[in-house]
């Protein structure tokens, strides 16, 4: 795992955008991007859009996207559904057509098979090349709350009260935050070829430290990252504040050979 402590959220966004663009250029139209929603990736998405509009970004023709999760129980087209959110915040501005952006389907009549069908869609696409991730204050990854199986696949889950309170800012109140979600499992996420975890702000410091320096445990779902061979963690100063070895991570990054990349 490579942990990169950075000065601020803007640096996190620039470096994350470099990783995404590098992949899109390298795969020339066949890249499969794994997208997170929530607040943390928004500066990265804005940076990608800025570069795209400035003409310095790559072509997104042929790029396919898979979101991590989706609320269950919102009316179709609800602005806070993750399908609507990712279209608004990233894929529409980049010109990626809706039929190349996939998410678990919250259709109430087919919920029992939604997980299996999403796993099949991911397999058929050849898997995710770069998966952007955020981390919950309770250590959740996607919507795998504490106690989730480290081998889990896409399925229906129930949000904790802590996560519903955290996400109430996107809705009118906690009561309006759905209880149920469909989420890629931790085992699903581990299949992506490169995991890019973004963490910004002091509220993430304890969860990030537990995930990368604590024991591997279902009590901290993000600790599953320790099992993956290619993880990059981009953290701003506040989120990195709880890391016992942060000086070492800084030294490693400063001494990194340029040919290595992230
Ligand atoms: C979103 C997701 C969640 C968020 C996490 C952090 O698709 O899967 O795991 O990444 O809840 O959310 P923010 O970034 O809003 O703090």
């Amino acid at each position: 795992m490579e942990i990169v402590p950075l000065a601020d959220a803007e640096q996190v966004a620039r470096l994350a955008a470099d990783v995404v663009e590098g992949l899109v250029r390298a795969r020339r139209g066949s890249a499969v991007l794994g997208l997170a929603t929530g607040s943390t990736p928004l500066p990265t998405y804005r940076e990608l859009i800025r570069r795209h509009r400035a003409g310095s970004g790559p072509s997104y023709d042929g790029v396919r996207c898979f979101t991590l999760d989706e609320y269950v129980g919102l009316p179709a087209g609800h602005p806070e559904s993750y399908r609507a959110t990712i279209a608004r915040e990233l894929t529409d501005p980049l010109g990626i057509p809706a039929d190349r952006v996939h998410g678990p389907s919250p259709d109430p009549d087919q919920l029992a098979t939604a997980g299996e069908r999403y796993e099949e869609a991911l397999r058929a696409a050849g898997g995710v090349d770069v998966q952007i991730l955020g981390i919950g204050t309770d250590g959740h990854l996607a919507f795998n709350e504490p106690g989730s199986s480290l081998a889990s696949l896409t399925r229906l889950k129930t949000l904790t009260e802590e996560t519903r309170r955290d996400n109430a800012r996107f809705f009118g109140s906690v009561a309006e935050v759905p209880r149920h979600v469909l989420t890629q499992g931790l085992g699903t996420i581990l299949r992506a070829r490169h995991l890019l975890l973004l963490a910004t702000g002091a509220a993430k410091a304890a969860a990030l430290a537990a995930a990368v320096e604590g024991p591997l445990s279902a009590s901290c779902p993000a600790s599953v990252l320790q099992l993956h061979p290619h993880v990059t963690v981009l953290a701003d100063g506040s989120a990195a504040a709880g890391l016992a070895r942060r000086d070492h991570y800084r030294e490693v990054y400063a001494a990194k050979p340029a040919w290595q990349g992230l």
Side-chain angles (χ1 to χ4, degrees):
M1 187 175 330
E2 178 162 28
I3 300 158
V4 185
L6 295 162
D8 51 37
E10 285 69 38
Q11 273 197 25
V12 169
R14 281 198 293 274
L15 217 50
D18 290 347
V19 170
V20 171
E21 288 192 341
L23 183 265
V24 170
R25 283 196 175 94
R27 296 291 306 264
R28 290 200 205 95
S30 63
V32 179
L33 300 178
L35 302 174
T37 43
S39 303
T40 312
L42 291 180
T44 300
Y45 296 163
R46 283 195 287 265
E47 178 65 10
L48 288 167
I49 294 164
R50 189 191 65 72
R51 295 179 190 185
H52 178 68
R53 288 185 175 149
S56 63
S59 162
Y60 288 91
D61 287 353
V63 167
R64 285 162 299 167
C65 302
F66 285 83
T67 56
L68 278 174
D69 37 22
E70 183 56 280
Y71 290 115
V72 170
L74 293 177
H78 190 287
E80 293 308 327
S81 71
Y82 283 171
R83 173 165 289 279
T85 302
I86 210 68
R88 183 176 63 240
E89 305 292 353
L90 185 68
T91 54
D92 282 357
L94 291 184
I96 301 174
D99 63 359
R100 282 206 229 112
V101 183
H102 308 275
S105 166
D107 174 356
D109 297 331
Q110 298 189 49
L111 271 182
T113 58
E116 227 171 90
R117 285 183 285 121
Y118 199 53
E119 291 289 328
E120 180 47 37
L122 282 159
R123 263 194 302 273
V128 167
D129 291 310
V130 171
Q131 176 63 59
I132 297 173
L133 296 164
I135 184 170
T137 55
D138 63 0
H140 71 230
L141 204 60
F143 275 141
N144 296 280
E145 297 284 25
S148 295
S149 158
L150 299 179
S152 49
L153 301 178
T154 307
R155 70 230 182 277
L156 187 80
K157 291 292 283 180
T158 306
L159 295 179
T160 60
E161 280 310 301
E162 181 174 338
T163 299
R164 292 182 69 234
R165 271 197 308 275
D166 285 348
N167 286 6
R169 67 191 190 282
F170 296 113
F171 294 82
S173 65
V174 183
E176 288 168 64
V177 182
R179 277 181 197 287
H180 290 117
V181 290
L182 284 162
T183 181
Q184 286 191 28
L186 296 170
T188 317
I189 292 167
L190 285 182
R191 288 187 193 142
R193 288 178 272 283
H194 182 189
L195 302 181
L196 186 62
L197 176 70
L198 313 180
T200 53
K204 302 296 174 67
L208 184 65
V212 305
E213 293 179 338
L216 174 66
S217 164
S219 296
C220 178
S223 67
V224 81
L225 296 175
Q226 296 174 28
L227 292 175
H228 194 283
H230 189 185
V231 178
T232 307
V233 179
L234 303 180
D236 72 357
S238 312
L243 297 171
R245 290 187 287 275
R246 66 179 183 281
D247 291 342
H248 175 63
Y249 306 140
R250 273 198 199 99
E251 285 161 21
V252 171
Y253 186 62
K256 192 177 168 68
W259 54 262
Q260 234 176 15
L262 282 174

